């Protein structure tokens, strides 16, 4: 059988070798997983194999020179399983909005339906965002086939547009999702109002037991039927329809439990109403009890829970919607002496647009004409506006403040910085944390187990009391077990917390690329910090001016700056900028000459000035011995000293250094407070590196590391058993970032989408790192809380609903209360997740 797998060369924990993702068909249980993993590991050259029963995929790490994809496929097929897929490995990706999902089993059913489409290599469905991401071979599958598969599974795809995920407009995706959620919410609100309007009087009549005049006897019993039936087959029809679809696919889910419970109560009550003679004691006038109110109340409470869920889910994606809302809907395009207001979607690269003060820039571009200050805080977090003039780069969604700008559009739609950030946040919210596997596996077995418990409960209660009253009590317990056990809370536990956590991160300028990255970041206990550009500002700055005898610092610096002004060397620019910051006016030098690596010389106001190394000054007849000790002291502090001579006489020293960034020392202190070991690595000489580390409070230094060796340093740290976060600039540190458990890039909005990192800090530089790790820890703690309470709810609720504690405590749970409790469990999980929106730095 032909197969398709993702095969790539990448840095991994096991080896910087190849890895493959293989779809597998035929697995049914944990034993299948063990069998497949054993078969794969038996292939010579395979280093690791991890099989996921829920997703039906294997991830294999192997020696690319010794193992082929065909060998892996043969191993799986030899174990008795199949590797489906097309022969061509080229795939594209598409995102589809999905309406009608209610629980984790819906997710599994849709993923299974999509993966069954020939040509699909991967399908991932997110319950919270209501979206599926599907990878498929264009030659063998089509977007329309994917939509039809979802429809056959019992769900709908609103406002479908057949465009690859990478190219779909962020604004269009957000708008389509918002409209779909609004329609779903309107439908749920309409059904709930109708159900509640009939259920409330029904509950009053049923609970009064004839105390209300006119409700006793035959009339009251038929009134309950008239009130309950429209609820069960009207608003409750959505559960019945989805349960029937699930049954057609040989599956069972939350809708199955609600439908069986509701129909059991309604059918029993209808038989008891219309054929009371079938029940014992009917000849003595004892009419069997009715449970119409339970059937109607179950539907009403579940609808209420779903309504509250949709309202909460809308809040989960507020961060994305907030970013998308920053892009204006129209732009003022210039052409042929006229201005036209056009939709932003119609802009193409090369268009010129006019942006007036107070307006937002419609798309990424370059300033062609005008001068202004632009507020870029939505991308960078910096509150101070950035001055823009000709040739300056501007970004869509940023706010033009002071002057009119004419901008040449360079990127539009999904290629803009803002759209790429939005897409990255959406993908992160849709990804699963590894901890979610527990809930996925449990959910896959949960419904069949609950159905078994419900049947055992029914039979046990009938065996204890075979009378009509006992049978009625058994039905009540049967319905209560089915209703209270709905696995909605389990299905929402992880994706809700991941969605809120990543959304809150985006608001704080922290882009977390997925649930797996979030979970890994929560476990970090060692951080490797690259020095240049991460801990330091990444450029030299003037730090010291040491005048010799007979010279003042200002006089000496004025002469040095005059000579250095003619040089383009970064050290020269640092000295000139340092002089300007000290308000020192430098004259113009003449007869400038330079010897790269040694020094420069020039004539300033008739005086010959030399700036360079002591050896170079010695070759020019100047003895620098008297300042050698001072130069050594500066070097030990991480400075780079240069000797200065004027007219052949030693005049002093100037020194520059790449200074630690603002707040770097506080970051190190905050990381240590979190119990994280901090180490710095750099290509600098050890003495210089140790000086910077001492200034920042870092005790461990790895110096003289070449860029190509950084990944090896990361691997060594992992070999020590540490969970490693590597922090760098995301470009030349890419191998090390990929090799760490968590790669953290310091970047701006323009290059964040291409940074080779799991987490990107959009604002504040490295100062956001402790906040990112704190947010990850808080999110994982929230996931654990959600899972704990979802599990505990079922562990406690099911036995009570079954009546297992009745003999000792007298506790029984009516189906009405069970349905209310079930709905509240899902809402409580969402509410707990939404607490992350209030996350602020400082909490762990």
């Amino acid at each position: 059988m032909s197969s398709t797998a993702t095969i790539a060369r990448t840095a991994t924990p096991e080896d910087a070798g190849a890895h493959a993702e293989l779809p597998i068909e035929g697995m049914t249980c944990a034993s299948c997983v063990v069998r497949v993993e054993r078969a794969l590991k038996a292939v010579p050259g395979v280093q690791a194999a991890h099989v996921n029963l829920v997703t039906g995929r294997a991830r294999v790490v192997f020696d690319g020179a010794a193992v082929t994809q065909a060998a892996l496929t043969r191993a799986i097929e030899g174990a008795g399983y199949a590797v489906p897929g097309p022969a061509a490995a080229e795939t594209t990706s598409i995102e589809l909005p999905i309406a009608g999902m209610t629980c984790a089993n819906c997710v599994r059913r849709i993923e299974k339906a999509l993966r069954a489409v020939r040509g699909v290599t991967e399908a991932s469905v997110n319950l919270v965002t209501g979206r599926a991401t599907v990878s498929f071979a264009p030659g063998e599958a089509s977007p329309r086939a994917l939509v039809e598969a979802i429809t056959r599974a019992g769900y709908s795809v609103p406002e479908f547009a057949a465009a690859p995920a990478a190219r779909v407009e962020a604004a269009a995706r957000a708008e389509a999702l918002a409209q779909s959620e609004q329609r779903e919410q309107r439908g749920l609100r309409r059904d709930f109002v109708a159900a509640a309007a009939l259920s409330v009087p029904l509950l009053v009549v049923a609970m009064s037991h004839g105390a209300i005049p006119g409700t006793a006897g035959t009339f009251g019993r038929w009134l309950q039927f008239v009130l309950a039936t429209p609820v069960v087959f009207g608003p409750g029809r959505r559960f019945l329809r989805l349960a029937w679809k699930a049954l057609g696919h040989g599956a069972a889910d939350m809708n199955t439990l609600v439908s069986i419970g509701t129909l059991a109560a309604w059918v029993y009550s209808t038989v008891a109403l219309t054929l009371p003679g079938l029940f014992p004691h009917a000849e003595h006038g004892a009419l069997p009890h009715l449970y119409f109110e339970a059937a109607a109340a179950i539907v009403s409470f579940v609808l209420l829970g779903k309504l509250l869920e949709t309202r909460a889910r809308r809040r989960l994606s507020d961060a994305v919607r907030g970013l998308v809302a920053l892009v204006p809907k129209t732009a003022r395009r210039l052409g042929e002496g006229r201005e036209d207001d056009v939709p932003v979607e119609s802009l193409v690269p090369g268009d010129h647009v006019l942006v007036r003060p107070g307006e937002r820039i419609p798309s990424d571009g370059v300033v062609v004409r005008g001068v202004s200050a632009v507020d870029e805080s939505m991308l960078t977090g910096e509150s101070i506006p950035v001055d823009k003039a000709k040739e300056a780069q501007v970004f869509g969604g940023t706010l033009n403040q002071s002057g009119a700008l004419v901008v040449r559009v360079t990127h539009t739609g999904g290629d803009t910085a803002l759209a790429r950030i939005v897409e990255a946040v959406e993908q992160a919210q849709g990804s699963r944390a590894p901890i979610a596997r527990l809930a996925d596996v449990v959910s896959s077995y949960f419904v069949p187990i609950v159905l078994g418990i419900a049947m055992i409960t029914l039979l046990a209660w009938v065996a204890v009391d075979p009378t009509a009253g006992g049978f009625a009590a058994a039905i009540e317990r049967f319905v209560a077990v089915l209703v209270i056990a709905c696995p909605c809370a389990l299905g929402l536990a992880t994706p809700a917390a991941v969605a809120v956590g990543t959304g809150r991160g985006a608001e704080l300028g922290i882009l977390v690329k997925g649930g797996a990255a979030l979970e890994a970041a929560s476990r970090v206990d060692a951080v490797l910090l690259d020095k240049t550009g991460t801990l330091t500002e990444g450029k030299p700055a003037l730090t010291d001016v040491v005048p010799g005898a007979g010279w003042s610092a200002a006089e000496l610096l004025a002469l040095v700056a005059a000579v250095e002004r003619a040089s383009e060397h970064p050290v020269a620019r640092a000295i000139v900028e340092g002089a300007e910051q000290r308000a020192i006016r430098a004259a113009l030098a003449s007869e400038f000459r330079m010897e790269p690596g040694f020094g420069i010389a020039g004539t300033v106001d008739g005086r010959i000035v030399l700036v360079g190394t002591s050896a170079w000054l010695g070759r020019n007849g100047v003895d620098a011995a008297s300042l050698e000790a001072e130069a050594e002291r500066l070097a030990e502090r991480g400075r780079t000293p240069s000797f200065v001579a004027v007219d052949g006489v030693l005049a002093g020293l100037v020194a520059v250094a790449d200074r630690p960034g603002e707040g770097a020392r506080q970051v190190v202190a905050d990381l240590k407070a979190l119990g994280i070991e901090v180490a710095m690595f750099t290509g600098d000489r050890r003495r210089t590196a140790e000086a910077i580390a001492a200034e920042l409070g870092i005790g461990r230094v790895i110096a003289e590391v070449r860029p190509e060796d950084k990944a090896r340093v990361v691997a060594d740290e992992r070999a020590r058993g540490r969970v490693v976060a590597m922090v760098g600039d995301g470009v030349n540190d890419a191998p090390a970032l990929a090799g760490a458990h968590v790669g953290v890039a310091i970047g701006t909005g323009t290059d964040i989408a291409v940074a080779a990192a799991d987490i990107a800090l959009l604002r504040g530089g490295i100062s956001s790192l402790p906040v990112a790790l704190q947010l990850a820890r808080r999110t994982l703690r929230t996931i654990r809380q959600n899972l704990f309470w979802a599990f505990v709810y079922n562990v406690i609720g099911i036995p009570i609903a079954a009546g297992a504690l009745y003999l000792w405590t007298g506790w029984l749970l009516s189906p009405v209360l069970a349905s209310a409790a079930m709905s509240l469990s899902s809402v409580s999980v969402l509410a707990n997740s939404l607490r992350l929106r209030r996350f602020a730095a400082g909490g762990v």
Side-chain angles (χ1 to χ4, degrees):
M1 181 178 290
S2 62
S3 64
T4 292
T6 304
I7 297 186
R9 186 71 57 177
T10 184
T12 68
E14 295 82 7
D15 180 60
H19 72 265
E21 294 266 355
L22 293 157
I24 302 174
E25 280 186 353
M27 296 191 298
T28 58
C29 63
S31 297
C32 299
V33 170
V34 174
R35 194 176 302 125
V36 174
E37 287 183 345
R38 187 181 299 124
L40 287 169
K41 290 174 181 176
V43 176
V46 170
Q47 296 153 358
H50 305 285
V51 177
N52 189 315
L53 176 64
V54 178
T55 61
R57 296 186 71 79
R59 187 179 192 279
V60 190
V61 180
F62 57 93
D63 180 357
V67 181
T68 64
Q69 179 187 341
L72 300 177
T73 301
R74 284 195 299 271
I76 295 172
E77 292 175 344
Y81 303 90
V83 181
E90 288 201 13
T91 62
T92 187
S93 180
I94 191 171
E95 284 188 352
L96 300 170
I98 300 176
M101 292 191 297
T102 56
C103 66
N105 286 310
C106 298
V107 171
R108 291 181 56 253
R109 189 183 312 138
I110 295 172
E111 288 179 344
K112 183 177 179 181
L114 287 170
R115 292 188 185 119
V117 177
R118 179 174 176 78
V120 171
T121 57
E122 180 55 79
S124 176
V125 178
N126 185 274
L127 176 63
V128 174
T129 59
R131 188 160 51 244
T133 301
V134 190
S135 297
F136 63 96
E140 304 220 11
S142 68
R144 185 59 56 191
L146 304 179
V147 174
E148 290 172 356
I150 294 171
T151 304
R152 285 195 303 271
Y155 305 88
S156 61
V157 181
E159 297 193 17
F160 163 66
R167 304 296 303 170
V168 176
E169 296 283 352
R173 285 200 306 270
E175 182 65 23
L177 178 61
Q179 291 179 3
S180 174
E181 288 174 342
Q182 288 171 1
R183 283 195 300 274
E184 183 183 5
Q185 196 166 4
R186 282 196 300 269
L188 283 168
R189 187 183 298 112
R190 180 188 63 245
D191 286 351
F192 170 68
V193 169
L198 295 170
S199 297
V200 169
L202 173 58
L203 284 168
V204 171
V205 170
M207 298 301 182
S208 70
H209 300 291
I212 300 175
T215 61
T218 303
F219 174 78
R221 293 168 69 83
W222 278 99
L223 177 62
Q224 293 181 49
F225 172 81
V226 170
L227 291 172
T229 302
V231 176
V232 173
F233 297 101
R237 188 177 64 253
R238 66 172 63 223
F239 305 115
L240 301 176
R241 184 180 66 251
L242 292 172
W244 180 255
K245 289 278 189 181
L247 181 62
H249 290 86
D253 60 8
M254 166 262 191
N255 300 292
T256 306
L257 299 182
V258 171
S259 298
I260 292 176
T262 302
L263 287 177
W266 184 86
V267 170
Y268 172 85
S269 300
T270 302
V271 172
L273 172 66
T274 57
L275 300 170
L278 296 178
F279 295 83
H281 310 297
E283 66 275 11
H284 301 297
L287 297 177
H289 188 71
L290 304 181
Y291 291 99
F292 285 121
E293 80 282 1
I298 288 169
V299 172
S300 298
F301 277 120
V302 174
L303 286 171
L304 175 61
K306 291 298 160 194
L307 182 60
L308 294 175
E309 280 182 28
T310 56
R311 292 183 61 183
R313 285 211 306 266
R314 288 202 67 191
R315 296 181 64 192
L316 300 182
S317 51
D318 279 351
V320 173
R321 289 200 185 94
L323 288 173
V324 170
L326 295 174
V327 180
K329 296 185 180 300
T330 61
R332 193 170 290 106
R333 184 164 58 193
L334 304 179
E336 300 180 0
R338 53 183 289 182
E339 299 178 9
D340 295 313
D341 287 338
V342 299
V344 169
E345 293 80 9
S346 68
L347 294 177
V348 296
D351 282 348
H352 285 60
V353 295
L354 174 64
V355 186
R356 292 172 177 157
E359 295 179 343
R360 291 194 178 273
I361 295 169
S363 197
D364 290 6
V366 174
V367 175
V368 175
R369 187 171 66 250
V371 176
S372 182
V374 176
D375 179 2
E376 296 184 345
S377 59
M378 47 78 69
L379 278 180
T380 65
E382 298 296 334
S383 57
I384 300 175
V386 180
D387 292 332
K388 301 291 183 180
K390 188 175 181 179
E391 300 302 320
Q393 194 171 16
V394 293
F395 305 104
T398 56
L399 180 64
N400 182 28
Q401 291 193 327
S402 55
L405 295 174
V406 175
V407 176
R408 183 181 76 253
V409 174
T410 57
H411 297 89
T412 60
D415 292 331
T416 63
L418 180 61
R420 289 197 298 269
I421 291 175
V422 169
E423 184 178 352
V425 173
E426 290 174 336
Q427 290 174 353
Q429 290 184 334
S431 69
R432 294 178 178 175
I435 196 173
R437 294 171 189 153
L438 175 63
D440 289 344
V441 173
V442 170
S443 295
S444 67
Y445 295 105
F446 189 76
V447 174
I449 290 173
V450 169
L451 288 172
I453 293 174
M455 286 304 301
I456 292 171
T457 299
L458 175 66
L459 296 175
W461 277 84
V462 170
V464 170
D465 184 1
T467 65
F471 184 67
I475 288 289
E476 185 173 301
R477 303 280 66 75
F478 173 77
V479 172
V481 169
L482 291 174
V483 171
I484 201 168
C486 290
C488 304
L490 275 176
L492 290 169
T494 299
V498 169
V500 181
T502 52
R504 179 57 179 155
E507 293 173 353
L508 295 172
I510 300 164
L511 191 60
V512 183
K513 300 179 182 178
L518 199 67
E519 182 168 341
S522 72
R523 304 182 192 279
V524 165
D525 58 13
V527 171
L528 291 176
L529 298 167
D530 182 45
K531 180 180 79 70
T532 305
T534 301
L535 285 169
T536 64
E537 295 175 350
K539 61 179 183 178
L542 180 66
T543 56
D544 300 271
V545 179
V546 182
W551 290 91
S552 69
E555 290 173 330
L556 181 67
L557 185 56
L559 292 175
V560 174
V563 178
E564 299 282 11
R565 188 183 297 275
S567 172
E568 290 298 320
H569 193 278
V571 172
R573 289 199 298 269
I575 292 173
V576 172
E577 290 174 2
E580 292 173 350
Q581 291 169 1
R582 292 166 172 78
I584 293 175
R585 182 177 174 276
L588 294 176
S590 60
E591 301 177 20
F592 174 80
R593 63 187 175 89
M594 177 176 64
E595 290 189 38
F598 295 100
I600 61 174
T603 301
V604 182
D605 294 333
R607 311 178 80 170
I608 300 173
V609 180
L610 306 178
V611 184
T613 66
S614 59
W616 187 68
L617 262 63
R619 290 204 303 270
N620 284 275
V622 179
D623 183 8
S626 61
L627 288 177
E628 284 283 6
E630 181 64 20
E632 185 73 15
R633 184 184 66 82
L634 290 172
E636 289 177 354
R637 294 171 56 199
R639 272 66 162 166
T640 301
S642 296
F643 294 85
V644 183
V646 179
D647 292 334
V649 179
L650 186 66
L653 286 170
V654 293
V656 298
D658 185 5
R659 302 294 306 137
E662 185 178 351
R665 184 178 180 84
Q666 184 60 48
V667 167
V668 173
D670 291 343
L671 291 174
K672 289 182 177 179
L674 291 172
I676 296 172
E677 178 186 344
V678 182
M680 181 184 80
F681 65 162
T682 176
D684 285 355
R685 291 173 298 179
R686 175 163 295 278
R687 189 170 61 179
T688 301
E690 288 178 344
I692 295 290
E695 187 174 347
L696 294 173
I698 298 175
R700 184 161 173 246
V701 178
I702 307 167
E704 301 175 16
V705 178
R706 293 177 300 176
E708 58 269 27
D709 290 334
K710 289 181 177 179
R712 177 186 53 77
V713 173
V714 171
D716 290 344
E717 289 299 303
R718 293 185 62 142
R720 295 174 58 210
R722 311 310 297 267
V723 180
V724 181
M726 190 275 173
V727 188
D729 62 14
V731 181
N732 60 355
D733 296 319
L737 289 169
H741 289 99
V742 182
V744 183
I746 310 293
T748 61
T750 52
D751 43 39
I752 194 58
V754 296
D758 304 298
I759 297 176
L761 308 179
L762 303 185
R763 66 181 72 159
I766 195 176
S767 62
S768 298
L769 178 60
V771 181
L773 299 181
Q774 287 175 337
L775 175 62
R777 291 185 180 187
R778 178 70 65 82
T779 303
L780 191 69
R781 190 169 76 184
T782 299
I783 291 173
R784 288 194 179 113
Q785 289 171 348
N786 288 348
L787 289 173
F788 173 78
W789 288 113
F791 280 124
V792 167
Y793 159 80
N794 284 295
V795 168
I796 295 176
I798 291 176
I800 294 177
L805 305 181
Y806 177 72
L807 292 177
W808 298 276
T809 65
W811 291 351
L812 287 174
L813 195 63
S814 74
V816 174
L817 292 179
S819 62
M822 182 274 293
S823 298
L824 288 175
S825 69
S826 299
V827 175
S828 66
V829 163
L830 288 167
N832 189 48
S833 299
L834 288 169
R835 290 170 57 228
L836 284 168
R837 296 188 66 184
R838 299 195 299 270
F839 170 83
V844 180

